[in-house]
Amino acid sequence: MFGRCAQGSGYLVTAMSCAGAAAVRSLWRLRTGALRPLPAYGRRISVRFYSSRMTLDNINWAAVDRVIRVDHAGEYGANRIYAGQMAVLGRTSVGPVIQKMWDQEKDHLKKFNELMVAFRVRPTILMPFWNVVGFALGAGTALLGKEGAMACTVAVEESIAHHYNNQIRTLMEEDPEKYEELLQVIRKFRDEELEHHDIGLEHDAQLAPAYAILKSVIQAGCRVAIYLSERF
Ligand SMILES: [Fe+2]
Ligand SMILES: [Fe+2]
């Protein structure tokens, strides 16, 4: 049974579950600023997107769960890293530079918080761990000086950008039109992470003590964090 609801200049079509049917099919168009409860594969979905061009049909929930959970964890971790850096270097000359990057990370986290609610994705159980580890990493590298903090930024942002590129590839292979809005979010954030990476290099990251080793160790940690956050 299909339900059709008039809405502004557009319309919303949802596939309602048939009584006794094993599979529930859904088709919906996402409307600007709209928050709607929709039935989809037994999951109640409320979707809020800023454009109406994304159509979801037979969404790959496993992939979306994984993408949103790990990205939320990553942005949360990035926020904790910058919080740690600001605790040490907030009143120095690089304080405003770090604050600006942190402000963008706050926007990234806010968006993934919204997506988690919209898609009913649970956060990783490792959030308390990333809270402590992220802050310790930010503060610890900042104690090496601003070069240490920037080396941390270069290492982490390079890893996150690489991770986002992998996700873009995965979603493009799945269905670029279906995941268009999610792809837009990830592409935008990927570009901003690369800007942070470049800011780190511009602020003498490579002059940090044992830069190459520090970067390698942090990036190994990022790979572990991504692996765990996708799965747990
Ligand atoms: Fe970010
Ligand atoms: Fe970033």
Side-chain angles (χ1 to χ4, degrees):
M1 179 176 73
F2 285 82
R4 180 181 294 248
C5 310
Q7 183 70 36
S9 60
Y11 61 87
L12 171 72
V13 179
T14 58
M16 312 297 285
S17 60
C18 298
V24 181
R25 298 184 62 237
S26 67
L27 169 65
W28 65 89
R29 294 193 182 280
L30 308 175
R31 291 292 166 197
T32 305
L35 184 63
R36 313 181 194 293
L38 299 171
Y41 295 92
R43 189 190 303 210
R44 295 290 293 179
I45 297 296
S46 299
V47 183
R48 188 197 297 272
F49 269 112
Y50 44 77
S51 96
S52 58
R53 299 172 60 193
M54 185 173 175
T55 301
L56 300 180
D57 188 21
N58 297 325
I59 187 173
N60 183 343
W61 284 114
V64 170
D65 270 351
R66 200 163 51 239
V67 165
I68 294 176
R69 180 175 305 114
V70 69
D71 291 356
H72 174 264
E75 297 298 350
Y76 179 76
N79 270 270
R80 297 302 296 151
I81 289 170
Y82 285 116
Q85 290 185 355
M86 283 300 287
V88 177
L89 297 172
R91 298 187 181 195
T92 68
S93 61
V94 291
V97 176
I98 297 170
Q99 183 66 54
K100 193 176 172 194
M101 293 191 283
W102 189 11
D103 289 343
Q104 282 186 306
E105 301 299 355
K106 288 175 184 173
D107 289 340
H108 296 180
L109 181 58
K110 181 168 176 279
K111 171 54 79 177
F112 277 106
N113 273 325
E114 289 171 5
L115 290 172
M116 290 192 91
V117 172
F119 287 91
R120 298 292 187 267
V121 174
R122 68 160 177 81
T124 172
I125 61 171
L126 298 166
M127 290 291 280
F129 188 62
W130 301 146
N131 177 6
V132 175
V133 170
F135 189 91
L137 178 60
T141 51
L143 286 170
L144 299 173
K146 71 138 174 142
E147 294 83 3
M150 293 298 166
C152 173
T153 293
V154 168
V156 171
E157 301 290 6
E158 190 175 279
S159 294
I160 296 178
H162 177 72
H163 162 72
Y164 278 152
N165 277 332
N166 287 339
Q167 286 189 337
I168 290 167
R169 213 171 292 121
T170 300
L171 294 174
M172 291 288 285
E173 287 170 1
E174 280 276 335
D175 189 331
E177 287 187 11
K178 187 188 298 180
Y179 299 106
E180 184 185 348
E181 296 216 31
L182 192 52
L183 280 164
Q184 282 178 6
V185 170
I186 295 173
R187 282 197 193 100
K188 178 177 185 289
F189 291 0
R190 184 269 321 269
D191 291 347
E192 289 175 357
E193 312 304 7
L194 286 173
E195 284 172 18
H196 298 168
H197 168 271
D198 293 348
I199 289 168
L201 287 179
E202 287 161 11
H203 287 81
D204 300 330
Q206 289 164 302
L207 298 181
Y211 170 73
I213 296 170
L214 186 63
K215 185 180 171 192
S216 296
V217 169
I218 292 171
Q219 291 192 325
C222 288
R223 285 193 291 276
V224 172
I226 289 168
Y227 179 90
L228 294 174
S229 298
E230 281 180 332
R231 289 160 179 79
F232 303 102

